[in-house]
Amino acid sequence: MEQEERPRIQSIRGTRDILPPESEKWLWLEGKFRAVLSRFGYSEIRTPIFEHTELFQKGTGGSTDIVLKEMYTFQDKSGRSLTLRPEGTPSVARSVLEHGLLKRTKILKFYYFGPMFRYGRPQAGRFRQFDQVGAELLGDVTVEGDAESIHLHVMLLKELGLSAFTVKINSVGCPNCRPYYSRLIQDRLKESLDGLCDDCKVRFDRNPLRILDCKVDDCKKLVEKVPSILGSLCEECLHRFEALKERLESIGIDFEVDPGLVRGLDYYTKTAFEIHHHMLGAQSALGGGGRYDALMELYGGPHTPAVGFAAGLDRILLAVEKEKIEVPIPSGTDVYVVAVSDKARQKCFEVAALLRETIRAELDLAQRSLQAQMKAANSLAASFCVIIGEEELASGVFTVKNMKSGEQAKVSETELRSRLERELRP
Ligand SMILES: [Zn+2]
Ligand SMILES: [Zn+2]
């Protein structure tokens, strides 16, 4: 075979093609996830992959790394500033407000699948175009809602057979108690302000809580001087956090309390959580989320309590590989229609067309020899071959070969499809 030339135009750094049979894994994962989401009563919402830039500046937060450094923002031909979505929640919130969906019902449960875009440094399991699944529970104020969101995320992973992961939970406080904690952070760190990284110097004024999330070693060391947020929670936040732990325990979900967990987004209040996999090294978070009671108001909507999460599909599939979970890859076809001679090709085409009304069927489109066709049938893992030669053309009775047992049977054209249907779906 001739060597294919490498094209001069290649895919963009941080993006990649998902080719068969790899794409079968994605179908498998999506199918499993949709089944779980449906058991929890969530329906799919499909929003555009680009939005007005303002949506993310306001929602995701002007002081977050995502908005400051990682957005794909561009002007369209009429000069509007648009952004490829870096995350899904702001679009869901916008859509709910735009269509007045919470005027008709108290509770909404939405999930989404799709690509997100962030201009970060590409590394293992991290792409500039990456796929997420997300689930949002809107209008719900209860602690059961928080626990349901965490339970749902855990169930998605369990449905795939994953088990080597840990649920981490925290409370990031509310507008009543967080300002107090932010001042506490500033108090403890103001002496060592020079020791913080440049990003944290900005965070110090704009959003001190996010200093706790910094990955720079110097900052990590300084943060040790800051007491846990759990000691600064107001009564309401503390009560919710205790109740959340009880709910999770009551349905057998193991968790760890991690006071340093603050999430990279500005809109979280009270409950925050992440799920980490044990075999993925530094990039171990499979997904995370929390409560975002203030987001809808930021967009000019009514006060709307809400909780949700997003999980990265690329990294989840990496975890599936690490845990050596076998993904069932379907065979290439069920029936291969084989032409013994060129004269039979026309008939093979008709027979394949007839079978394809209900059965997966393939035939030779490359004028190959009988032997090469049998080889092709084998490599597609076909269960049966229908063999058509001169004799079969004359009699209208075809040879059907069971590829596993090697047994052959004579089957008339009129009975062929129903016979194969029976054999394939016993
Ligand atoms: Zn509070
Ligand atoms: Zn820092």
Side-chain angles (χ1 to χ4, degrees):
M1 199 185 278
E2 268 177 60
Q3 192 74 35
E4 277 179 60
E5 245 182 82
R6 269 166 78 85
R8 268 180 299 168
I9 303 176
Q10 296 186 9
S11 60
I12 298 167
R13 184 166 141 84
T15 71
R16 83 282 194 222
D17 304 308
I18 297 166
L19 308 171
E22 179 69 16
S23 49
E24 293 290 346
K25 289 189 190 174
W26 288 74
L27 285 175
W28 167 79
L29 175 143
E30 276 192 28
K32 295 253 178 202
F33 280 8
R34 284 180 200 278
V36 176
L37 288 157
S38 144
R39 295 209 294 267
F40 278 72
Y42 286 69
S43 318
E44 188 177 20
I45 182 169
R46 299 189 186 204
T47 61
I49 63 163
F50 62 143
E51 301 269 3
H52 291 290
T53 302
E54 200 191 350
L55 184 79
F56 305 109
Q57 284 170 337
K58 269 194 173 163
T60 310
S63 72
T64 59
D65 280 358
I66 294 175
V67 171
L68 288 174
K69 302 179 193 168
E70 297 179 346
M71 291 209 302
Y72 277 94
T73 296
F74 59 96
Q75 285 201 341
D76 73 358
K77 289 191 192 298
S78 56
R80 282 173 295 223
S81 179
L82 305 179
T83 294
L84 298 182
R85 62 181 182 193
E87 56 145 340
T89 305
S91 300
V92 174
R94 175 200 52 71
S95 179
V96 166
L97 286 174
E98 188 168 330
H99 301 286
L101 300 181
L102 279 169
K103 287 180 189 146
R104 281 175 254 154
T105 174
K106 271 188 78 130
I107 300 277
L108 286 171
K109 291 180 169 190
F110 284 140
Y111 76 83
Y112 58 84
F113 278 100
M116 307 291 158
F117 304 84
R118 289 183 202 173
Y119 191 82
R121 197 159 49 86
Q123 45 193 297
R126 190 164 168 176
F127 298 91
R128 288 178 172 169
Q129 177 180 326
F130 57 99
D131 279 81
Q132 285 191 332
V133 61
E136 316 285 4
L137 169 54
L138 298 129
D140 166 85
V141 72
T142 67
V143 72
E144 283 78 15
D146 300 32
E148 174 178 302
S149 197
I150 296 171
H151 184 211
L152 173 56
H153 193 331
V154 167
M155 286 306 293
L156 292 180
L157 302 177
K158 281 193 172 168
E159 189 80 3
L160 302 182
L162 290 169
S163 58
F165 59 82
T166 300
V167 178
K168 295 184 179 184
I169 61 168
N170 191 25
S171 173
V172 293
C174 71
N176 292 326
C177 55
R178 190 154 30 169
Y180 169 77
Y181 186 62
S182 292
R183 275 199 301 279
L184 190 74
I185 297 175
Q186 287 167 330
D187 273 353
R188 296 296 167 101
L189 293 180
K190 67 175 178 237
E191 308 276 281
S192 12
L193 193 55
D194 287 343
L196 293 172
C197 73
D198 288 345
D199 286 339
C200 285
K201 281 179 188 138
V202 177
R203 290 171 186 146
F204 185 85
D205 291 317
R206 297 180 68 170
N207 193 348
L209 202 63
R210 300 220 35 250
I211 298 176
L212 306 188
D213 200 28
C214 187
K215 304 285 182 281
V216 177
D217 284 340
D218 289 348
C219 299
K220 276 196 204 162
K221 217 166 253 151
L222 288 171
V223 159
E224 287 169 13
K225 294 201 286 188
V226 178
S228 156
I229 189 171
L230 297 172
S232 301
L233 295 179
C234 68
E235 208 170 311
E236 194 196 323
C237 286
L238 198 61
H239 184 253
R240 176 177 288 267
F241 193 56
E242 291 306 318
L244 173 66
K245 291 194 272 185
E246 270 173 33
R247 297 300 182 284
L248 292 176
E249 275 161 12
S250 75
I251 54 172
I253 294 181
D254 293 328
F255 58 85
E256 257 173 37
V257 174
D258 179 359
L261 193 165
V262 294
R263 307 284 300 146
L265 307 173
D266 277 357
Y267 49 64
Y268 286 112
T269 50
K270 298 173 187 170
T271 302
F273 65 94
E274 284 179 357
I275 299 188
H276 290 260
H277 197 263
H278 306 164
M279 296 151 93
L280 292 185
Q283 298 289 326
S284 65
L286 298 179
R291 182 159 279 284
Y292 52 96
D293 292 347
L295 181 64
M296 298 297 231
E297 279 164 288
L298 282 178
Y299 292 141
H303 176 71
T304 309
V307 61
F309 68 84
L313 304 189
D314 304 272
R315 245 184 260 171
I316 290 175
L317 282 174
L318 215 54
V320 164
E321 222 170 90
K322 295 276 184 200
E323 289 200 38
K324 298 194 166 47
I325 292 162
E326 207 158 313
V327 179
I329 303 290
S331 68
T333 193
D334 288 327
V335 179
Y336 200 101
V337 186
V338 175
V340 176
S341 67
D342 281 342
K343 271 192 194 158
R345 290 190 187 275
Q346 170 68 22
K347 193 69 189 170
C348 287
F349 179 71
E350 290 168 23
V351 168
L354 174 79
L355 294 178
R356 281 169 170 172
E357 287 183 25
T358 50
I359 293 172
R360 297 192 307 154
E362 260 295 8
L363 78 164
D364 176 46
L365 295 175
Q367 307 278 313
R368 282 175 289 194
S369 68
L370 172 63
Q371 199 191 9
Q373 289 177 60
M374 294 307 289
K375 220 173 133 185
N378 268 320
S379 69
L380 290 169
S383 303
F384 293 93
C385 276
V386 176
I387 299 165
I388 306 178
E390 308 265 324
E391 195 191 313
E392 285 83 359
L393 281 178
S395 64
V397 177
F398 305 141
T399 303
V400 173
K401 182 176 180 184
N402 182 321
M403 298 298 279
K404 271 195 203 93
S405 66
E407 270 173 64
Q408 296 202 8
K410 295 284 183 189
V411 182
S412 72
E413 186 171 359
T414 47
E415 282 168 35
L416 183 66
R417 200 176 83 193
S418 57
R419 169 80 175 262
L420 285 168
E421 278 175 6
R422 276 200 308 278
E423 297 274 4
L424 289 165
R425 298 184 199 93

